[in-house]
Amino acid sequence: MGPTTFPDTTFEVIDQTLESAQSCFIEFSKKEGGQRAGFLRRIAENLATHRQSVIAMAEQETSLGIERLEGECSRTIDQIRLFAVLAEKEEWKENSCEEGEPNREPNANLGMQKENHPVGTVVVIGACNFPLAISVVGTDTTSALAVGCPVVVKSHPRHARTCQLLAELVNLAKKESNMPEGCFTLLHGESHGVSRALVSHPKTACVAFTGSLQGGKALSKVAKSRTKPIPFHAEMGSLNPVFALPFALKEKREKLIGSYIDAVNLFCGQMCTKPGALIILEESFDQKFKESLQAYVSEKETLPMLNQDVFQNYEKTSQHLAQYLDMIAQSEISSANGSGRIRIFKVAAKDFLAVSELKAEAFGPASILIIARDFPEMLAVARSLEGSLTGSMLATDNDRIDASTLLPILESKVGRILWNGFPPGVVPGLATHHGGPWPATTDPRYTSIGIKGYQRFVRPVCKQGFAELGGMS
Amino acid sequence: MGPTTFPDTTFEVIDQTLESAQSCFIEFSKKEGGQRAGFLRRIAENLATHRQSVIAMAEQETSLGIERLEGECSRTIDQIRLFAVLAEKEEWKENSCEEGEPNREPNANLGMQKENHPVGTVVVIGACNFPLAISVVGTDTTSALAVGCPVVVKSHPRHARTCQLLAELVNLAKKESNMPEGCFTLLHGESHGVSRALVSHPKTACVAFTGSLQGGKALSKVAKSRTKPIPFHAEMGSLNPVFALPFALKEKREKLIGSYIDAVNLFCGQMCTKPGALIILEESFDQKFKESLQAYVSEKETLPMLNQDVFQNYEKTSQHLAQYLDMIAQSEISSANGSGRIRIFKVAAKDFLAVSELKAEAFGPASILIIARDFPEMLAVARSLEGSLTGSMLATDNDRIDASTLLPILESKVGRILWNGFPPGVVPGLATHHGGPWPATTDPRYTSIGIKGYQRFVRPVCKQGFAELGGMS
């Protein structure tokens, strides 16, 4: 692990990079879709060819382990190929036409043809927890390249060498497919100043960030202070509440508690969709519930956290939660340094409602069990929540009436709802939505995973009267 | 005209209004599309029934004149009916599904169904120059209502009684179609404090503003200082450059100059798409060109401006431009007080490039003739421009090579391109795009006119695993 071996990019180089991206924008965006598809497929192939060295490097720099990294690498390659198809088919242009009406009163209607165009240079600042899938060649970068936006990626300081290796594969693909030099650049930076300079640069057209609420807020502030505003898309903290209705808990308590603890501990809770709260009724909470939960927690392995920073933050957040809450279950200390113990806290709904600090995400395997006196209090908890990426509902047919009351509240709070399932459950596709109201993201109308991720990077241009010069458009 | 007769809304009433909008959100958004369509059709019918009194009031409060207001009223009714169809057909939900793969590795894919949901309460702050079509029942309001967002409109102080009359028609329709009281409210406010309170209110989910760059910037700043960011959509100033290529000017100079002056003087230049700059080559500019232009300007009627504020601003802006530029044509003084004289200024491209003040909009019938030494200098002017709602190109077949070089630059600068035509040419439909890069709007990915105006007010929600409980979604 250790510190990055790359010095921080200077402001001069940042400026040159953005200038170079800007100057190739028209050339790059006017390439045929098939050519950009070829470029993306070369990236996917280069990653497939060098997957062992990339995974080995990511294993050195993170503690995610081979199995997870193998899966993540395959998903990343699949995603790149999905975006190659998008580039090729050009469906992202969403072409729509309206015939003219030359005799329209009071003015002639010239006819309109509208299609999407790329917005310009996109800056990508990736996540610590997905060194492959939400990084140098993740959805942000590849969806932007697919639609013709030059991309400048800021490497993550905790896995900078993995980023560098990935960037070399992209640079190779760039040459192999004859793409302009400026269409992709990786820059390094341990200091936040590098990110700030990228976000505030006048030639940056859009930013895609994945990270903590704190980091997202800080960069959002930089974006807001620009003279010329640009879209700043951040995917940040998310509580991901799970509502368990009484009949569901009556009928399959053991299974649900087990799945809940699995979801909390998945990749040591370092997932943006980790369920940070389980909301149940008082009638569902008895000694048996508590014992089952404790048993599942004690059975689970305590996993290593991504790095020392993340571990220390988790310890701090846990201590903070412990000030307000009872810890009712905790997994064993692991012999490995920097491992994240599962911690389940318990709170009465009325206390949860009173303390706003509890509504934020703890990055790591912690979760809060919220106990509502009755169903109206459960609804009050739902209404009090901030935005999340996901919300889940555990229910059976007998819970149907309560579920239908809860559902519209959940719809107004989250970007994705799982029915009798626990997050993540992310499947990158056309119907994927990985987004949600603040503080989950800065703009709930967009997704950072799945095909529609490109929508952040296009804007429509309407043309009128072009029919007379066929092919001009 | 005179000052508004309505006192400023108090902060207490603003708070109650947003609270009442919020509390009916789920009820209103869960109405069937056909019911909201019925509501919109009632608004359209009420406006059709009372059109004479609405137009009479707007004529009293503005100087737009009966003919223009008649046309605007018909367009407004048509627009409302378009959005009724949108509400009824529910195409705005953009439903997309992906089948599950229960045996998918490593995890089962539960299947996904994604559709758009309304974002919440929308605040609408309308324009001074369209008291009907971009006001209380304009695209902003009716597209938001169509998709189930409660709307709070801030009336325009220069035509507040027209706003009040329109709001009464909406309130009547609300009762007639049994819609919740909080789904629509008009608030008055001469003071900017009312707008600021609406934009910063925690229960506001999105803002649609049409007005000046100065007003848009000020409210954008308020939106940016919110703890919880929301989309703030402003349609503001726009230069709307027109590029006239040499063969086009050779072949149809008289017609083009006439159309240019007509477009500059349309509704006294008080259009967001008024062409604020005509860019030509030095070779096209001779004594004959100048004389034709002067003749057309002197033939045109000097029209009354919207109100005294607008007139005084126009005089100030004109004086400012005159500091840097030669005025080569000006229309006659009108006997009517507060009329806006057409003013055409001339500047060499190299001077235009050097002075950034010239790139902003002058609201009124002023326009700048920019003379480029050669085609590369014309391209330099194109590259130097800020974002605009529209850009136009006047060209013939002989200009084809230059036009194809210019086109991608224009595409990167504007939201709509007119080929051999002058703005406005706005036709509200599916392919309409009335938007553009800053400072034309705060987000070029959205349109404030046409069917797609609703896209500002929806966000996707993805559901997984709901198949097992049919009808639950």
Side-chain angles (χ1 to χ4, degrees):
Chain A
M1 302 209 199
T4 159
T5 51
F6 304 98
D8 278 13
T9 308
T10 61
F11 293 147
E12 199 185 341
V13 171
I14 290 172
D15 201 47
Q16 283 162 6
T17 303
L18 267 304
E19 182 59 47
S20 148
Q22 170 81 6
S23 31
C24 80
F25 173 47
I26 287 179
E27 179 194 348
F28 183 60
S29 69
K30 293 296 173 189
K31 297 261 182 202
E32 280 179 24
Q35 290 178 287
R36 281 202 306 277
F39 173 36
L40 289 168
R41 290 201 178 101
R42 289 298 325 161
I43 298 174
E45 268 175 59
N46 293 348
L47 178 53
T49 306
H50 297 272
R51 80 179 275 152
Q52 290 324 318
S53 33
V54 169
I55 288 173
M57 182 63 85
E59 209 212 348
Q60 262 189 53
E61 291 192 304
T62 71
S63 58
L64 290 166
I66 289 288
E67 195 186 341
R68 148 73 189 263
L69 290 168
E70 286 282 1
E72 192 182 328
C73 190
S74 300
R75 169 180 154 184
T76 308
I77 294 170
D78 287 349
Q79 275 178 192
I80 302 173
R81 290 190 173 134
L82 273 180
F83 286 110
V85 175
L86 182 80
E88 195 158 48
K89 293 201 177 163
E90 302 202 329
E91 280 166 1
W92 61 270
K93 291 192 173 177
E94 294 174 33
N95 197 303
S96 68
C97 287
E98 282 183 58
E99 294 287 314
E101 304 160 78
N103 304 317
R104 183 171 171 277
E105 290 296 337
N107 303 307
N109 173 357
L110 296 172
M112 296 186 280
Q113 124 192 43
K114 182 176 67 171
E115 59 181 29
N116 283 331
H117 285 243
V119 293
T121 301
V122 171
V123 164
V124 172
I125 303 174
C128 67
N129 56 348
F130 281 86
L132 308 176
I134 311 181
S135 177
V136 178
V137 292
T139 302
D140 297 334
T141 299
T142 49
S143 66
L145 293 175
V147 301
C149 293
V151 172
V152 178
V153 180
K154 152 83 173 55
S155 83
H156 197 287
R158 295 287 84 75
H159 46 77
R161 284 175 294 168
T162 308
C163 289
Q164 180 64 30
L165 209 48
L166 291 167
E168 282 159 19
L169 301 177
V170 180
N171 287 331
L172 179 61
K174 213 161 66 178
K175 285 205 184 65
E176 288 166 334
S177 46
N178 200 26
M179 289 291 144
E181 182 56 27
C183 78
F184 171 87
T185 311
L186 177 77
L187 300 178
H188 294 284
E190 172 87 40
S191 144
H192 296 319
V194 173
S195 296
R196 281 200 299 267
L198 287 168
V199 172
S200 60
H201 198 284
K203 292 199 161 68
T204 300
C206 191
V207 180
F209 165 91
T210 308
S212 68
L213 182 57
Q214 195 190 0
K217 271 179 167 175
L219 287 177
S220 174
K221 208 168 161 184
V222 174
K224 284 174 184 176
S225 66
R226 293 173 56 103
T227 314
K228 180 178 160 178
I230 53 167
F232 173 78
H233 291 284
E235 195 260 89
M236 306 171 293
S238 181
L239 189 65
N240 307 301
V242 177
F243 290 84
L245 295 177
F247 285 97
L249 278 180
K250 216 169 261 173
E251 293 172 27
K252 38 188 180 177
R253 184 176 60 193
E254 295 307 302
K255 181 171 173 283
L256 293 179
I257 292 176
S259 303
Y260 166 57
I261 300 303
D262 282 348
V264 169
N265 201 41
L266 182 69
F267 303 121
C268 202
Q270 300 160 122
M271 297 287 288
C272 36
T273 54
K274 180 210 70 184
L278 175 66
I279 303 99
I280 66 171
L281 295 186
E282 204 167 70
E283 64 174 89
S284 309
F285 186 73
D286 54 16
Q287 193 56 25
K288 189 79 194 67
F289 185 105
K290 196 171 162 182
E291 284 168 13
S292 290
L293 195 132
Q294 286 167 336
Y296 279 107
V297 168
S298 66
E299 273 168 22
K300 300 297 293 183
E301 194 187 352
T302 295
L303 301 168
M305 299 204 81
L306 272 165
N307 55 53
Q308 204 55 30
D309 297 354
V310 171
F311 169 72
Q312 275 158 12
N313 270 331
Y314 178 60
E315 291 301 302
K316 220 162 69 183
T317 315
S318 296
Q319 278 163 26
H320 181 76
L321 289 175
Q323 280 177 22
Y324 297 97
L325 309 172
D326 290 340
M327 186 160 65
I328 57 168
Q330 181 171 219
S331 65
E332 296 301 313
I333 293 186
S334 158
S335 58
N337 190 20
S339 288
R341 300 170 76 182
I342 305 173
R343 294 186 178 111
I344 308 295
F345 299 90
K346 180 181 83 106
V347 66
K350 73 169 191 330
D351 296 329
F352 179 82
L353 288 168
V355 183
S356 66
E357 280 87 347
L358 302 178
K359 297 183 181 75
E361 179 191 14
F363 194 69
S367 191
I368 303 174
L369 179 67
I370 301 170
I371 299 178
R373 207 175 44 228
D374 49 23
F375 186 62
E377 203 178 60
M378 183 181 266
L379 292 179
V381 169
R383 284 195 196 94
S384 82
L385 294 174
E386 300 275 301
S388 269
L389 294 168
T390 73
S392 306
M393 226 196 295
L394 311 176
T396 69
D397 242 15
N398 289 320
D399 294 307
R400 180 183 280 267
I401 293 169
D402 287 353
S404 65
T405 309
L406 187 55
L407 185 62
I409 303 172
L410 219 49
E411 284 172 351
S412 74
K413 298 286 182 179
V414 309
R416 182 158 57 97
I417 303 179
L418 292 104
W419 179 261
N420 282 328
F422 287 87
V426 174
V427 184
L430 257 176
T432 313
H433 187 66
H434 191 68
W438 176 269
T441 77
T442 45
D443 191 336
R445 297 171 300 180
Y446 293 90
T447 181
S448 57
I449 297 182
I451 303 284
K452 296 288 183 180
Y454 76 82
Q455 288 184 323
R456 294 167 293 174
F457 311 130
V458 296
R459 65 178 180 87
V461 175
C462 172
K463 291 181 182 170
Q464 291 181 299
F466 276 62
E468 72 170 72
L469 202 76
M472 189 68 233
S473 64
Chain B
M1 302 208 198
T4 157
T5 50
F6 303 100
D8 278 12
T9 308
T10 61
F11 293 147
E12 198 186 342
V13 171
I14 290 173
D15 201 47
Q16 284 162 5
T17 303
L18 267 304
E19 183 57 49
S20 148
Q22 171 80 4
S23 32
C24 80
F25 173 48
I26 288 180
E27 178 194 349
F28 183 59
S29 69
K30 291 298 173 189
K31 296 262 182 198
E32 280 180 22
Q35 290 178 285
R36 281 202 307 277
F39 174 34
L40 289 168
R41 289 200 178 102
R42 290 300 323 163
I43 298 174
E45 267 175 60
N46 293 348
L47 178 52
T49 306
H50 296 273
R51 80 180 276 153
Q52 289 325 315
S53 33
V54 169
I55 289 172
M57 183 63 85
E59 210 212 348
Q60 262 187 52
E61 291 191 305
T62 72
S63 59
L64 290 166
I66 289 288
E67 196 187 340
R68 148 74 190 264
L69 290 168
E70 286 281 0
E72 192 182 328
C73 188
S74 299
R75 170 180 153 185
T76 307
I77 293 170
D78 287 351
Q79 275 176 195
I80 301 172
R81 290 190 173 132
L82 275 179
F83 286 110
V85 175
L86 181 80
E88 194 159 47
K89 293 200 179 162
E90 302 201 331
E91 280 165 3
W92 61 270
K93 291 192 173 176
E94 294 173 32
N95 197 301
S96 68
C97 287
E98 281 183 59
E99 295 288 315
E101 303 161 78
N103 304 318
R104 183 171 172 275
E105 290 297 335
N107 303 308
N109 174 357
L110 296 174
M112 296 186 279
Q113 122 192 42
K114 183 175 67 169
E115 59 179 28
N116 284 331
H117 285 244
V119 292
T121 301
V122 171
V123 164
V124 172
I125 304 174
C128 67
N129 56 347
F130 280 86
L132 309 176
I134 311 181
S135 178
V136 178
V137 291
T139 302
D140 297 333
T141 300
T142 49
S143 66
L145 293 175
V147 302
C149 292
V151 173
V152 178
V153 180
K154 152 83 173 54
S155 84
H156 197 288
R158 294 288 81 76
H159 47 77
R161 284 176 295 169
T162 308
C163 289
Q164 179 63 30
L165 210 48
L166 291 167
E168 283 160 18
L169 300 178
V170 180
N171 287 331
L172 179 62
K174 213 160 65 178
K175 286 206 184 66
E176 287 166 336
S177 45
N178 201 24
M179 290 291 147
E181 181 57 27
C183 78
F184 170 88
T185 311
L186 176 77
L187 300 178
H188 294 284
E190 172 87 40
S191 144
H192 296 320
V194 174
S195 297
R196 281 200 299 268
L198 286 168
V199 172
S200 60
H201 198 283
K203 293 200 161 67
T204 300
C206 189
V207 180
F209 165 92
T210 308
S212 67
L213 181 56
Q214 193 191 2
K217 273 178 164 173
L219 287 178
S220 176
K221 209 168 160 183
V222 174
K224 284 172 182 175
S225 67
R226 292 174 58 104
T227 313
K228 180 179 160 179
I230 53 166
F232 174 78
H233 291 283
E235 193 261 270
M236 305 170 294
S238 180
L239 190 65
N240 306 302
V242 177
F243 290 84
L245 295 177
F247 284 97
L249 279 179
K250 218 171 256 171
E251 292 173 28
K252 38 188 179 177
R253 182 174 63 194
E254 296 305 304
K255 180 171 174 284
L256 293 179
I257 292 177
S259 303
Y260 167 56
I261 300 302
D262 282 348
V264 169
N265 202 41
L266 183 69
F267 303 122
C268 203
Q270 298 158 123
M271 297 286 289
C272 36
T273 54
K274 180 210 67 184
L278 175 67
I279 302 99
I280 66 173
L281 295 186
E282 204 166 70
E283 63 174 89
S284 308
F285 187 71
D286 54 15
Q287 192 55 26
K288 189 78 196 69
F289 186 106
K290 194 170 162 181
E291 285 168 10
S292 289
L293 195 132
Q294 287 168 333
Y296 278 107
V297 168
S298 67
E299 271 168 23
K300 301 298 292 183
E301 194 187 350
T302 295
L303 301 169
M305 299 204 81
L306 273 165
N307 55 52
Q308 203 58 28
D309 296 356
V310 171
F311 169 71
Q312 275 159 14
N313 270 329
Y314 178 59
E315 290 302 300
K316 220 162 70 183
T317 315
S318 295
Q319 278 162 25
H320 181 75
L321 290 175
Q323 280 176 22
Y324 297 96
L325 310 170
D326 291 339
M327 185 161 66
I328 58 168
Q330 181 170 221
S331 66
E332 297 300 313
I333 293 185
S334 156
S335 58
N337 190 21
S339 288
R341 299 169 78 180
I342 305 172
R343 294 186 178 111
I344 308 295
F345 298 90
K346 183 183 78 113
V347 67
K350 71 171 191 334
D351 296 329
F352 179 82
L353 289 168
V355 183
S356 67
E357 280 86 347
L358 302 178
K359 294 182 183 76
E361 179 191 16
F363 193 69
S367 191
I368 304 175
L369 179 66
I370 302 171
I371 298 179
R373 206 175 44 228
D374 49 23
F375 186 63
E377 203 177 58
M378 183 181 265
L379 292 179
V381 170
R383 284 194 197 95
S384 81
L385 293 175
E386 300 275 301
S388 269
L389 294 168
T390 73
S392 306
M393 227 196 295
L394 310 175
T396 70
D397 243 14
N398 289 321
D399 294 308
R400 181 184 279 265
I401 293 170
D402 287 353
S404 65
T405 311
L406 188 54
L407 186 62
I409 303 173
L410 219 48
E411 284 171 351
S412 74
K413 297 287 182 178
V414 309
R416 182 159 57 97
I417 305 180
L418 292 104
W419 178 262
N420 281 328
F422 288 88
V426 174
V427 183
L430 258 176
T432 311
H433 188 64
H434 190 69
W438 175 269
T441 76
T442 44
D443 191 335
R445 297 171 299 180
Y446 293 91
T447 181
S448 57
I449 297 182
I451 303 286
K452 296 289 183 179
Y454 76 83
Q455 289 183 323
R456 294 168 293 175
F457 311 131
V458 296
R459 66 178 180 86
V461 175
C462 172
K463 291 181 182 170
Q464 290 181 300
F466 276 62
E468 70 171 72
L469 201 76
M472 191 65 234
S473 62

